[in-house]
Amino acid sequence: MLKDLFIADIYARKHELLGKRVRVCGWVHNIRDLGRLKFILVRDRTGVLQVVVKKGESPEDVVEKAGDLRLEAVVCFEGVLVESRSKFGVEVKADKLIVLSQPVEPLPLEPDTSLEAGLATRLNYRWLDARNPRVNMVFQFEAWVARVFRDYYTENGFVEIFTPKIVAAGTESGAEVFPVIYFGREAYLAQSPQFYKQMAVIAGLERVYEIGPVFRAEPHHTTRHLTEYHSMDIEFGFIEGPEDVMAMVEGFFRRLADGMARDPRVKPIVEEFQASLRVPREVPRVTMREAYKILEEEYGKKIPYGEDLDPEGERLLGKYFSEKYDSDLVFVTEYPWASRPFYTMRKPDEPEWTYGFDLLMKGLEVVTGSQREHRYEKLLENLRDKGLNPESFQFYLDFFKHGAPPHGGAGMGLERIVMQSLGLENIREARLLPRDPERLLP
RNA sequence: GCCGCGGUAGUAUAGCCUGGCCUAGUAUGCGGGCCUGUCAAGCCCGUGACCCGGGUUCAAAUCCCGGCCGCGGCGCCA
């Protein structure tokens, strides 16, 4: 192994390492060449460390090789760690230099200032862009969010599942699907694990979760849509109502907020982005009918009764609950039947409304969930009511023929949660290699 | 899919409205030189661009049309 210490480890253990030889491996972040004295800043995932090369003190070959270095070359320096007059506090007096890789062409993008470039350029050269510490942090944060999700639901008795991404039918009415040719037959990329996670509950796993890609063939041109994103899904049985599902979603977001405030693994990231997530003791819930009223009375915005919120409506509701309830989250409950998929359970006494809900985070929909319809006959009714042909959903209906507990679940958009947590302006920033209607490379 | 705005060196920008003063300015990168404590190092020299096609005009980076691409809003959705 060439590398034994991250730069952050060197800083963390500096009292122990001062006066000792260390090896620092990474990318050449900056070169301040004063002639016989050169300062070379080496960067890795965890930070930047200064290396000093002095003519007369450092070995001749090191001085020579250091003089030829270009920005973003990959190097390992060895030398004694000493106190430094620089802002870095410590520095390495180089006595050995291994050049592992030297750029063969001028840089199309400088990682240090890549954030000044347009997003399209940055994405075209993502392998340079993501060397920018701030950009790198986004993906470290994303990994952490996924980990918090796994930890939280595992602790609550959920089992991780892995469902097919090549499917025979589109799962929900609504989003368009990408066709693929499957040994001469038409198949599709899964737009949601919905049917299979329900099946897993019915199959006796009882509480399941999955983090996986989903595909939406919608030609969106917005800052919050991707054609491929990651859905963090949960589904669990033996619930008494949609409130049980919301409580299970709320618990995860509370864990997320606590982690952002306290977890040392993300502390530097949260500080860098000045990120915060306010989750009050009770996350507010409003029914869709109440939401219409708030929008009209507070903001004069009229949404046709029985219709879904538009993006402006979501933003305004987010603003309302941020200001009045000091909350970055709000559940919008009892969605109209007209705007929810057929597997959603309808309110028994008011069948025009459902047990479906959304969670808005800082004015953006990040979670959709519901209690599902688990009664075979009711599912048939719902399908017919939506004008769908039950035959094309027979494989799904069959799941419900042999004992299905009342259950519910939710899907959460990983990239949207990252975007809203860190205050990113475009969801593409929250994916290393985003796919949108135009972009298929790199 | 619809609507609006945009496209100048590797990158980010000035110039476009009001066509000629543009041999296209600046910063950074890149190449070369000077410099023994830099802190976004500095200084000197050099390199490198008007998205593509058509039109208007004596003259087009600049005005008009089409295409491609980019950015954003909407519909739909996580």
Side-chain angles (χ1 to χ4, degrees):
Chain A
M1 192 65 186
L2 280 169
K3 181 164 176 165
D4 52 358
L5 286 173
F6 283 107
I7 286 169
D9 297 330
I10 294 175
Y11 283 118
R13 294 167 55 190
K14 72 173 188 184
H15 296 296
E16 167 199 344
L17 293 172
L18 268 174
K20 301 212 170 67
R21 276 175 64 84
V22 294
R23 173 151 56 183
V24 54
C25 294
W27 285 263
V28 174
H29 186 63
N30 200 353
I31 303 168
R32 303 199 181 116
D33 189 343
L34 281 65
R36 291 179 212 240
L37 175 66
K38 303 175 208 307
F39 298 96
I40 292 152
L41 308 190
V42 178
R43 182 195 67 243
D44 76 3
R45 200 181 78 194
T46 65
V48 177
L49 182 63
Q50 175 160 282
V51 175
V52 188
V53 175
K54 271 186 196 177
K55 198 172 167 75
E57 288 183 32
S58 308
E60 251 329 291
D61 68 304
V62 173
V63 175
E64 202 174 305
K65 280 190 269 183
D68 291 336
L69 282 179
R70 297 188 215 155
L71 290 185
E72 297 306 316
V74 179
V75 294
C76 288
F77 277 104
E78 281 178 34
V80 177
L81 191 72
V82 296
E83 299 270 4
S84 171
R85 279 169 263 179
S86 71
K87 65 176 182 181
F88 298 99
V90 291
E91 64 195 20
V92 174
K93 283 181 70 172
D95 56 40
K96 190 173 169 193
L97 164 58
I98 308 166
V99 180
L100 297 165
S101 172
Q102 185 86 286
V104 297
E105 278 182 17
L107 296 170
L109 193 65
E110 296 140 61
D112 197 26
T113 55
S114 74
L115 289 169
E116 294 166 20
L119 185 56
T121 306
R122 291 174 49 201
L123 294 175
N124 285 341
Y125 298 102
R126 200 55 148 157
W127 61 92
L128 291 172
D129 177 53
R131 288 181 202 174
N132 181 292
R134 197 177 154 94
V135 178
N136 203 282
M137 282 177 177
V138 173
F139 305 107
Q140 296 185 44
F141 185 79
E142 191 156 56
W144 176 82
V145 172
R147 182 168 179 152
V148 170
F149 179 89
R150 287 197 170 97
D151 287 349
Y152 181 77
Y153 290 106
T154 301
E155 285 167 28
N156 280 279
F158 284 67
V159 177
E160 183 164 17
I161 57 168
F162 306 91
T163 64
K165 302 307 159 204
I166 303 173
V167 299
T171 48
E172 300 168 52
S173 52
E176 291 292 318
V177 288
F178 288 107
V180 296
I181 299 162
Y182 193 73
F183 300 113
R185 275 184 292 164
E186 181 149 280
Y188 306 96
L189 294 179
Q191 54 170 200
S192 160
Q194 184 62 33
F195 291 170
Y196 294 119
K197 64 177 177 167
Q198 285 187 262
M199 199 212 79
V201 170
I202 293 168
L205 287 167
E206 296 198 25
R207 300 181 179 196
V208 298
Y209 72 85
E210 175 168 25
I211 298 178
V214 295
F215 305 90
R216 303 282 166 98
E218 301 278 351
H220 303 293
H221 294 99
T222 77
T223 53
R224 60 186 188 284
H225 288 99
L226 296 166
T227 52
E228 179 189 24
Y229 69 93
H230 283 87
S231 184
M232 301 195 293
D233 276 272
I234 60 168
E235 197 74 25
F236 57 113
F238 301 100
I239 62 170
E240 290 185 284
E243 182 50 47
D244 288 338
V245 183
M246 286 187 270
M248 201 59 89
V249 171
E250 184 173 329
F252 163 66
F253 278 88
R254 180 158 288 113
R255 176 73 66 89
L256 201 63
D258 287 349
M260 283 172 67
R262 275 183 271 286
D263 192 331
R265 290 176 297 186
V266 287
K267 195 169 173 249
I269 302 174
V270 169
E271 282 172 6
E272 169 65 26
F273 285 85
Q274 299 188 313
S276 71
L277 179 58
R278 292 171 303 154
V279 181
R281 200 154 294 151
E282 278 271 303
V283 172
R285 285 135 167 85
V286 271
T287 63
M288 192 60 127
R289 281 168 281 188
E290 289 162 349
Y292 296 146
K293 229 169 125 186
I294 290 169
L295 288 175
E296 178 145 19
E297 285 173 8
E298 297 286 324
Y299 304 102
K301 177 168 178 72
K302 198 157 171 68
I303 303 243
Y305 199 75
E307 279 192 17
D308 204 348
L309 300 171
D310 61 18
E312 191 195 15
E314 289 182 4
R315 280 191 291 272
L316 291 172
L317 268 190
K319 182 174 145 76
Y320 180 83
F321 285 94
S322 168
E323 288 168 0
K324 307 257 167 155
Y325 291 78
D326 218 30
S327 177
D328 287 325
L329 301 176
V330 55
F331 282 103
V332 182
T333 67
E334 297 187 8
Y335 264 66
W337 166 244
S339 69
R340 299 305 264 211
F342 76 90
Y343 52 78
T344 311
M345 187 179 277
R346 304 167 78 164
K347 285 192 80 180
D349 45 332
E350 299 174 299
E352 289 314 299
W353 305 92
T354 69
Y355 285 149
F357 64 86
D358 276 5
L359 177 69
L360 305 184
M361 179 181 189
K362 301 179 181 176
L364 179 69
E365 177 187 336
V366 296
V367 178
T368 291
S370 70
Q371 174 162 7
R372 324 299 190 188
E373 183 53 74
H374 63 285
R375 296 161 296 185
Y376 185 80
E377 292 302 327
K378 291 275 183 191
L379 269 173
L380 276 178
E381 258 177 54
N382 282 0
L383 277 166
R384 292 199 192 100
D385 204 79
K386 288 278 180 192
L388 297 166
N389 179 7
E391 274 173 35
S392 39
F393 292 91
Q394 196 56 54
F395 85 99
Y396 171 71
L397 289 168
D398 286 346
F399 302 165
F400 296 84
K401 283 179 171 172
H402 319 289
H407 64 282
M412 325 190 191
L414 173 61
E415 291 83 356
R416 281 197 176 179
I417 291 171
V418 169
M419 166 171 143
Q420 294 305 86
S421 297
L422 298 182
L424 305 178
E425 287 178 2
N426 193 315
I427 197 164
R428 279 160 256 240
E429 295 180 68
R431 283 221 70 183
L432 188 59
L433 299 164
R435 291 289 176 261
D436 64 34
E438 275 73 37
R439 181 173 292 277
L440 206 47
L441 284 170

